[in-house]
Amino acid sequence: MIVAIDGPAGAGKSTVSRQLARRLGFQFLDTGAMYRAVAWAALERGHDWNQPERLVELARGLAIEMTDTGVKVDSVDVSQAIRSQRVTGYLKYSADNAGVRGILVERQRAFAVGKQIVTEGRDQGSVVFPQAECKIYLTASAEERAQRRVADLARRGETANFEQVLSEQNERDRRDMSRAVGPLVQAPDATVLNTDHLTEAEVVDALVSVVHEHCRQLGLEPPGK
Ligand code: DC
């Protein structure tokens, strides 16, 4: 079974999707971390950003290992490093590159073979796994999302200005929704969940309910607890 969770930046997808996977006993795939890993590796290698085809080559040669707790690039754990504001500033180069997307989409599909997974990103229900049994579109207001991002950065020891985070996030939303390949769209058969004013635990409970409801409709045994 595939549970595909999509939504805009800062909707809290990663944290709750990971917890949902644990509750269901499924494996978890954070596809944003893969786009981040490519941007991180390019920065490490002093990539020339005016050469998009070189970024495709770089992505093709990278060993990106998705673990239940994070991501490794060529055996180096980069789970924390890929979340920095510096890497975030270069994400457009990996996420908007059709060649890079092609490579990562292929790897995402390969990851899912023979597994029960919760996968999280922007295009999981619409492009990567259109056959997913359960699709969820997780969202929240722009202000709430920016507040969460500021708090998240503070926990990582990075200070960030709310207005600046909000304006960068608006720009990412615009890019995510308007990119030519794999844009952020709400799949027509997705269940929408707005997480404004909900705690993490409440969101996870709501997600478990949505998955169980889908299972009932499909005549499947509801997984997990
Ligand atoms: O969810 P995130 O912030 O970690 O995602 C990182 C970047 O990757 C962000 O710019 C959106 C992009 N992304 C994407 O284009 N497609 C996905 N399936 C997941 C993320």
Side-chain angles (χ1 to χ4, degrees):
M1 179 175 189
I2 294 176
V3 177
I5 302 182
D6 292 304
K13 295 189 303 297
S14 300
T15 321
V16 295
S17 302
R18 198 181 289 281
Q19 289 179 35
L20 173 67
R22 210 170 295 140
R23 285 269 292 269
L24 299 175
F26 283 18
Q27 275 183 265
F28 173 61
L29 182 61
D30 173 358
T31 62
M34 299 172 83
Y35 290 92
R36 288 177 178 274
V38 172
W40 174 85
L43 278 168
E44 283 291 296
R45 289 160 176 70
H47 169 74
D48 174 357
W49 300 103
N50 294 315
Q51 308 256 1
E53 67 292 344
R54 290 238 178 115
L55 192 63
V56 181
E57 287 315 307
L58 188 149
R60 187 171 289 122
L62 283 185
I64 302 175
E65 189 192 336
M66 304 307 294
T67 69
D68 262 356
T69 52
V71 56
K72 287 183 182 174
V73 171
D74 294 336
S75 305
V76 179
D77 189 333
V78 295
S79 311
Q80 293 301 318
I82 59 168
R83 307 262 157 219
S84 71
Q85 279 176 291
R86 181 152 185 263
V87 170
T88 301
Y90 286 89
L91 287 175
K92 60 182 177 205
Y93 293 101
S94 54
D96 291 354
N97 185 313
V100 171
R101 294 199 79 84
I103 290 166
L104 297 187
V105 165
E106 218 173 273
R107 294 192 188 180
Q108 289 156 21
R109 289 182 179 143
F111 179 92
V113 172
K115 295 193 185 93
Q116 311 248 61
I117 66 163
V118 171
T119 179
E120 176 262 297
R122 304 292 190 285
D123 56 353
Q124 298 301 289
S126 54
V127 173
V128 186
F129 301 108
Q131 80 286 14
E133 287 85 351
C134 180
K135 300 179 187 178
I136 299 168
Y137 190 85
L138 203 66
T139 188
S141 69
E143 287 72 21
E144 176 130 355
R145 290 188 283 126
Q147 264 157 13
R148 289 178 190 164
R149 174 86 181 138
V150 170
D152 192 36
L153 285 166
R155 272 194 296 273
R156 293 170 205 282
E158 289 191 57
T159 40
N161 170 280
F162 173 78
E163 293 302 329
Q164 193 190 339
V165 168
L166 181 62
S167 108
E168 285 170 6
Q169 178 187 275
N170 286 339
E171 172 57 15
R172 276 173 74 201
D173 283 354
R174 195 193 57 71
R175 288 194 85 93
D176 275 351
M177 291 176 184
S178 63
R179 84 166 57 89
V181 234
L184 170 64
V185 286
Q186 201 178 299
D189 49 348
T191 300
V192 181
L193 186 62
N194 186 307
T195 69
D196 275 0
H197 314 306
L198 294 182
T199 64
E200 258 172 39
E202 288 169 335
V203 176
V204 177
D205 283 343
L207 289 171
V208 171
S209 299
V210 172
V211 174
H212 283 182
E213 183 52 35
H214 274 76
C215 287
R216 269 188 287 277
Q217 283 171 14
L218 294 167
L220 301 169
E221 182 68 25
K225 39 194 171 3

